[in-house]
Every structure is written in C-alpha cells, then in structure tokens.
C-alpha cells in the first residue's frame, strides 16, 4: 500500500436497548462503577492502529457521552453524530464524520464492552492486508435450519460455522461501495453488506471474550470478566 493507513473507528451506540429493559441506554449502564461504553472507548483509545473514533449515538445520550469522553480523556474521539432508522444509516452518519484521510473503517458495536486493544489491532492488521476482516469465534452449539412452521429442515456442520462479532474492518472504497448498494435492504451486519458486492471478509479469532450487552443476564457476566482482567493487571 503506497499511502499510510489511517483507520477511523465508528462506534455504533444508537440502539434503543429494548431487550435490556432498563431506563438508560445500555452503553451507559454502570459496570464496576463506570459506564459500559467506557470500556469500549478505552480499548479503542489504547489500540495503536486506530487513528480516530467517531461515536454514533442517540441525541438524548450525546451530552452524557461527551462528559464521559472528557472525564476519561479519550483523545481519539473526534465527533458525535445521531443514529439513523437502520444500522446502515447509523454507520453512514458516522462515516460522514470521518477524516478525509481515512483509508479504512473499523465498525464496532458500542455494547461489545469486552473488546481489547489487542484484538482490535489484530483484526485491523488483517484488513490492512486483505481489505476486509472481522473478529469472530467458533459456534459451540448445534445449529438447526428450520422452516416457517418451526420444523427442522437440516443440521449444518458445526465445524463450518462461525459467530461473527465486531469490530468489522474494511478498506474505504470497498465499504463505501457496499454502503451505497445497501440502501433499503435492512442489513444488520456489515460483513453481509460487503458480501453482497462480492467481497468476502476473513474471520480473525479473538483472544478474549467479546460478548455484546443485550439482556440483564449479560451484566453480571461482563462484570465478572472485567473484574478478573483488573485483578490480572494489578
């Protein structure tokens, strides 16, 4: 690559947290005394290959998120922008705020608070070579394909199945082309979006747990993992 890579991370934190059933955005739920998104932003702040961070969020959360960024001195955060009606719209808003030097975009779910700087650097490094990469992990449960009535149709080979996570990282032109093609198609996954234009990302195995805060039961699990990490650092 002739030009120096410039990686913009887009943190998507604009969901309504419906399944969490709480009074605040799940990105703001306290985990060991700090807002959940603190851990996400800390990892991207510490990831050496990330040049800037854009936060896509609900307007009602913007002021509090700005306070968090200021309090913890997350210097890579350059902009806040509102989410859209679909996930791809939210990411589009984030991309619009990226530095014009950006050569790659790292799209991450803000609620994946267990992400580490190591795994961020790992997946970005692959994308710098191949053009598209995502973190993922092997599927441990047996998965069934069913019809509309709920009857099992077939059982795919578990060895060929992977659970896709974030960040998902793409070369700029690949992602912009996929984004343009995605309008009105309701994609909930950026990899699926680029697959639609014939680009097939490489899955990189993360070295650390990377669960997404979705329901109340995820909170104690996340806190347990975070506490163990903190104890290991001491």
């Amino acid at each position: 690559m002739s030009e120096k890579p410039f990686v913009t991370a887009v943190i998507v934190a604009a969901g309504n947290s419906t399944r969490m059933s709480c009074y605040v955005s799940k990105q703001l739920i306290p985990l060991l005394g700090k807002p959940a998104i603190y851990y996400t932003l800390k990892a991207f702040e510490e990831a050496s290959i990330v040049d800037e961070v854009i936060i896509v969020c609900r307007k009602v959360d913007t002021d509090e998120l700005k306070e968090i960024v200021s309090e913890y001195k997350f210097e890579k955060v350059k902009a806040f922008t509102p989410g859209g009606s679909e996930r791809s719209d939210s990411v589009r808003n984030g991309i619009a705020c990226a530095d014009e030097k950006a050569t790659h975009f790292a799209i991450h779910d803000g609620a994946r608070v267990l992400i580490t700087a190591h795994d961020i650097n790992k997946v970005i490094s692959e994308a710098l070579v191949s053009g598209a990469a995502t973190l993922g992990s092997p599927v441990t449960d047996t998965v069934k394909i069913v019809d509309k009535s709920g009857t099992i149709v077939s059982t795919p080979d578990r060895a060929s199945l992977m659970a896709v996570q974030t960040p998902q990282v793409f070369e700029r032109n690949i992602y912009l082309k996929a984004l343009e093609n995605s309008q009105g198609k309701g994609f909930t996954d950026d990899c699926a979006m680029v697959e639609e234009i014939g680009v097939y990302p490489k899955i990189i195995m993360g070295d650390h747990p990377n669960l997404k805060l979705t329901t109340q039961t995820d909170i104690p699990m996340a806190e347990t993992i975070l506490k163990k990490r903190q104890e290991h650092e001491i």
Side-chain angles (χ1 to χ4, degrees):
M1 183 180 296
S2 57
E3 60 182 332
K4 182 181 182 298
F6 186 102
V7 180
T8 297
V10 176
I11 310 298
V12 183
N16 291 321
S17 308
T18 304
R19 285 174 289 178
M20 185 60 72
S21 300
C22 60
Y23 62 93
V24 296
S25 168
K26 60 186 175 183
Q27 284 83 15
L28 301 176
I29 291 171
L31 295 178
L32 300 183
K34 292 184 173 66
I37 201 167
Y38 158 84
Y39 300 97
T40 304
L41 295 176
K42 180 175 184 289
F44 279 88
E45 186 76 19
E46 294 175 350
S48 59
I49 311 180
V50 173
D51 294 285
E52 68 172 357
V53 174
I54 310 297
I55 300 177
V56 184
C57 58
R58 301 190 305 168
K59 289 182 180 180
V60 69
D61 295 331
T62 302
D63 288 344
E64 189 164 356
L65 288 169
K66 286 182 177 179
E67 290 177 6
I68 292 168
V69 168
S70 175
E71 178 180 357
Y72 295 105
K73 297 180 173 58
F74 293 134
E75 297 179 354
K76 289 183 180 179
V77 176
K78 303 302 181 185
F80 300 81
T81 188
S85 57
E86 295 183 352
R87 189 180 190 281
S88 59
D89 296 322
S90 293
V91 178
R92 186 178 285 105
N93 291 350
I95 295 298
C97 298
D99 193 294
E100 61 182 14
K101 299 192 298 291
T103 61
H104 293 77
F105 300 121
I107 317 301
H108 185 70
D109 293 322
R112 286 194 183 274
V113 300
L114 298 180
I115 189 62
T116 64
H118 176 269
D119 279 351
I120 293 169
N121 284 334
K122 190 176 177 181
V123 68
I124 291 175
S125 295
E126 173 57 38
L128 294 180
V129 176
S130 63
T134 180
L135 279 183
S137 62
V139 171
T140 55
D141 294 327
T142 298
V143 176
K144 301 289 185 180
I145 297 175
V146 300
D147 61 20
K148 292 181 180 180
S149 71
T151 302
I152 294 174
V153 175
S154 63
T155 305
D157 180 7
R158 191 168 62 189
S160 66
L161 298 176
M162 296 287 290
V164 176
Q165 303 168 351
T166 65
Q168 300 182 0
V169 189
F170 310 96
E171 188 273 329
R172 179 190 187 96
N173 292 332
I174 290 174
Y175 194 74
L176 291 181
K177 181 179 179 181
L179 202 56
E180 181 179 358
N181 179 68
S182 72
Q183 296 204 36
K185 296 184 179 180
F187 286 106
T188 58
D189 173 74
D190 296 288
C191 284
M193 203 167 70
V194 302
E195 290 164 31
E196 180 82 359
I197 64 168
V199 177
Y200 299 96
K202 184 169 181 180
I203 290 186
I204 301 301
M205 300 287 188
D207 293 327
H208 305 276
N210 191 17
L211 70 83
K212 182 178 180 181
L213 291 180
T214 304
T215 66
Q216 290 284 334
T217 58
D218 296 323
I219 296 174
M221 186 182 304
E223 287 191 314
T224 297
I225 294 171
L226 289 169
K227 186 175 182 180
K228 287 182 178 179
R229 286 182 185 175
Q230 290 178 0
E231 292 171 350
H232 182 70
E233 292 173 358
I234 296 174

